[in-house]
Amino acid sequence: MTDKIKDITIFDYGYDGEGVGKIDNKICFVPYSIIGEQLKIEKISENSNFIRGRIVQFDKTSDLRVLPRCPYFAKCGGCAYQHLNYEEEIFIKKDLFSRQLKKIGYLGDIIVHKSPQDYFYRNKIKLFVKNGTIGLKIRSSNNVIDIDKCLICKNEISEIINKIDLFFKGNKIYDYYDKIEILYKNNIGIIIFYKNRENDVNYQGLILNLQRKINIYEFYDKKIYNVYTNNILNIKNHGLTFEMSPKGFHQVNDDVADDLYNNILNNLYGENILNCYSGGGFLSGLICKQNKKVIAIELGEQEHLEAENLKYQNKLKHLTNLRGDCGKILPDLNLNFDTVIVDPPRSGLDKIVVSSLNKLNYKRLIYVSCDSATLVRDLALLNDFNILNVHLFDMFPRTGEYECMVVLQKK
Ligand SMILES: C[S@@+](CC[C@H](N)C(=O)[O-])C[C@H]1O[C@@H](n2cnc3c(N)ncnc32)[C@H](O)[C@@H]1O
């Protein structure tokens, strides 16, 4: 056995679902391993605190291990749990979240909302174009693994990937592109080609071959350009009509997003609502439909425009969309609210936002997050709240991620 190959027994899971063992008393993270497994691993990296390892041999395999469905699993960095069944994945995610909550003294229930589909649920994918391939990033690397399907995405997305690949191959134009984003919603595909040079590409062949409703955009030099936009993505959902912008933030799992929004609506208190990090305004619209007044704050230009459009299309008189940074707007917002909703990016709340939330006058806080670690960090800094209920929404099955929501009431 070389110095790099070590024996290990897995006894726990880390926050991305990777197995945890010890080598010479130092913690070692081993992706795609299961508690109880005895393995030979190769050290991939090591610092003063921990080691990262890669499985090279199974000496004892867990009974829980199942065959991953995706041929790229463990090579592409997207999924973390395909070697376990979905029930086991949910069990681990809930356990990891409950351990984080325990650190701030919460020992109560976590309401789990599973995804109706653990495969074929994603309405969106970001692909990388490198060395004549279209694919996903290899785990812990900038290299790209060539893929012809992604099993957590809707089937239509995989079909579109294959046809783009054929088009690039036929026209020898892989080098023109760095990234591709594909969104598939309401039977309409949106493709954004991220180009690295300014030159004309005739997409007619691709459009004909796709044989479905499609919009094509190019993104170059920090600007988005319409290339073929005959199929406006007009969404009708929960009594709201709105036009989706190609580059705004949108939840990737439609069923779980509906479940999340319904649970936010069920937990609202009072009539005056502040919706921070409000995205394209869909949630704000749903709240207004319940005859409540909403002030929404969103930094992104595309998201803000989408929210304004939604407001006018649906005649939502009681919606005010403010465009800007919550960290700049909240400290000067001298108003009273009944409920404040925050749904920040993974990094969580800035210190200035936390201190504003501690000063603002309101009764209830609904904190939605896609990173339970920053959520718990921020909750520890908020003063004078009781936790009313806690939810885990499995927005991203098979991956190490999940969405969570904590409802708090001021003491
Ligand atoms: C997780 S998304 C939530 C979107 C929305 N709640 C939804 O469900 O569609 C976070 C949103 O916060 C916005 N954002 C990021 N930083 C911000 C900031 N400092 N102030 C206001 N909005 C911000 C992003 O543009 C994004 O739309």
Side-chain angles (χ1 to χ4, degrees):
M1 211 157 46
T2 70
D3 193 35
K4 274 186 131 188
I5 307 291
K6 298 283 180 187
D7 285 310
I8 194 166
T9 301
I10 303 299
F11 63 84
D12 201 359
Y13 294 113
Y15 284 122
D16 290 326
E18 68 278 54
V20 178
K22 274 190 178 173
I23 292 173
D24 302 331
N25 241 359
K26 198 186 243 186
I27 287 293
C28 176
F29 295 103
V30 186
Y32 323 117
S33 63
I34 303 174
I35 287 183
E37 288 190 326
Q38 291 170 4
L39 313 163
K40 294 209 177 356
I41 63 112
E42 179 188 6
K43 282 189 191 176
I44 299 296
S45 63
E46 180 166 5
N47 63 26
S48 52
N49 295 320
F50 61 83
I51 301 166
R52 288 201 176 276
R54 182 178 70 84
I55 302 173
V56 291
Q57 187 180 309
F58 290 94
D59 292 331
K60 182 176 166 231
T61 313
S62 166
D63 292 342
L64 297 173
R65 185 167 281 282
V66 300
L67 217 55
R69 283 172 71 171
C70 176
Y72 313 113
F73 179 64
K75 295 181 197 96
C76 123
C79 289
Y81 287 109
Q82 286 198 27
H83 59 300
L84 287 164
N85 69 35
Y86 187 42
E87 290 305 322
E88 201 58 33
E89 168 184 342
I90 289 289
F91 179 82
I92 296 171
K93 285 178 170 174
K94 184 177 177 187
D95 181 53
L96 293 171
F97 187 26
S98 87
R99 282 199 251 164
Q100 288 173 322
L101 289 163
K102 214 179 267 177
K103 288 188 196 151
I104 55 162
Y106 181 79
L107 303 172
D109 193 23
I110 298 174
I111 304 162
V112 175
H113 306 254
K114 283 169 38 180
S115 174
Q117 287 182 283
D118 56 341
Y119 286 92
F120 308 111
Y121 64 88
R122 277 191 76 100
N123 57 31
K124 189 174 180 178
I125 193 169
K126 186 194 274 183
L127 299 152
F128 297 87
V129 188
K130 207 170 174 183
N131 303 332
T133 55
I134 298 175
L136 294 166
K137 287 235 169 111
I138 294 174
R139 200 183 163 89
S140 320
S141 147
N142 269 333
N143 292 330
V144 171
I145 175 167
D146 190 0
I147 64 148
D148 60 359
K149 56 178 171 286
C150 172
L151 294 188
I152 58 170
C153 286
K154 290 177 183 291
N155 268 326
E156 291 85 350
I157 289 186
S158 295
E159 274 177 38
I160 295 173
I161 296 172
N162 280 305
K163 292 192 172 170
I164 294 174
D165 202 15
L166 270 178
F167 177 71
F168 279 12
K169 204 172 274 160
N171 291 281
K172 299 188 178 59
I173 51 173
Y174 288 99
D175 289 354
Y176 297 5
Y177 303 90
D178 296 324
K179 278 187 294 183
I180 305 168
E181 261 174 34
I182 305 171
L183 173 74
Y184 196 82
K185 229 173 142 80
N186 286 33
N187 296 321
I188 298 180
I190 291 187
I191 306 174
I192 308 177
F193 289 113
Y194 289 75
K195 285 176 80 182
N196 53 33
R197 62 192 75 178
E198 190 183 11
N199 53 359
D200 282 341
V201 174
N202 182 347
Y203 292 97
Q204 209 51 40
L206 175 65
I207 293 162
L208 283 174
N209 194 23
L210 280 168
Q211 292 186 325
R212 55 173 76 252
K213 285 188 179 166
I214 205 90
N215 289 328
I216 296 180
Y217 300 83
E218 281 185 343
F219 190 81
Y220 171 71
D221 207 12
K222 298 188 184 141
K223 282 196 211 86
I224 187 153
Y225 299 94
N226 296 359
V227 173
Y228 178 80
T229 52
N230 284 2
N231 300 289
I232 297 303
L233 191 42
N234 247 325
I235 308 269
K236 286 192 175 62
N237 200 351
H238 294 270
L240 288 171
T241 310
F242 63 102
E243 196 180 303
M244 253 173 86
S245 76
K247 271 198 71 61
F249 172 89
H250 305 111
Q251 303 283 0
V252 299
N253 184 331
D254 295 332
D255 291 328
V256 179
D258 276 356
D259 200 359
L260 169 68
Y261 292 143
N262 282 333
N263 275 278
I264 295 174
L265 294 178
N266 288 341
N267 276 288
L268 290 176
Y269 171 87
E271 307 305 316
N272 290 304
I273 315 295
L274 175 63
N275 184 13
C276 302
Y277 309 89
S278 51
F282 183 61
L283 174 63
S284 307
L286 292 179
I287 301 171
C288 282
K289 281 265 174 196
Q290 299 206 334
N291 294 324
K292 297 178 192 297
K293 285 188 186 149
V294 180
I295 294 184
I297 307 176
E298 167 59 43
L299 183 62
E301 185 186 1
Q302 293 284 328
E303 288 85 352
H304 174 73
L305 290 174
E306 197 173 307
E308 281 291 271
N309 188 356
L310 180 134
K311 170 182 165 155
Y312 292 109
Q313 260 189 293
N314 297 281
K315 301 189 175 61
L316 303 172
K317 285 196 302 255
H318 297 305
L319 172 59
T320 306
N321 289 310
L322 303 178
R323 175 162 182 228
D325 181 344
C326 287
K328 294 209 171 109
I329 294 177
L330 283 178
D332 296 330
L333 205 61
N334 208 356
L335 294 169
N336 296 338
F337 296 97
D338 297 312
T339 299
V340 174
I341 303 164
V342 291
D343 183 1
R346 294 189 71 80
S347 51
L349 304 175
D350 289 345
K351 286 214 170 88
I352 180 106
V353 173
V354 173
S355 71
S356 304
L357 289 175
N358 279 332
K359 285 182 201 142
L360 260 179
N361 192 4
Y362 62 103
K363 296 281 184 309
R364 185 168 290 188
L365 177 66
I366 302 180
Y367 191 145
V368 179
S369 168
C370 59
D371 187 327
S372 51
T374 55
L375 165 86
V376 168
R377 177 202 69 197
D378 294 342
L379 291 183
L381 300 172
L382 290 166
N383 300 331
D384 300 328
F385 282 102
N386 285 324
I387 292 182
L388 293 185
N389 52 68
V390 176
H391 303 251
L392 185 161
F393 294 89
D394 197 26
M395 187 78 81
F396 318 99
R398 315 278 71 192
T399 78
E401 293 170 28
Y402 52 86
E403 193 86 7
C404 35
M405 174 175 112
V406 178
V407 181
L408 305 114
Q409 185 80 1
K410 278 222 167 152
K411 282 180 188 163

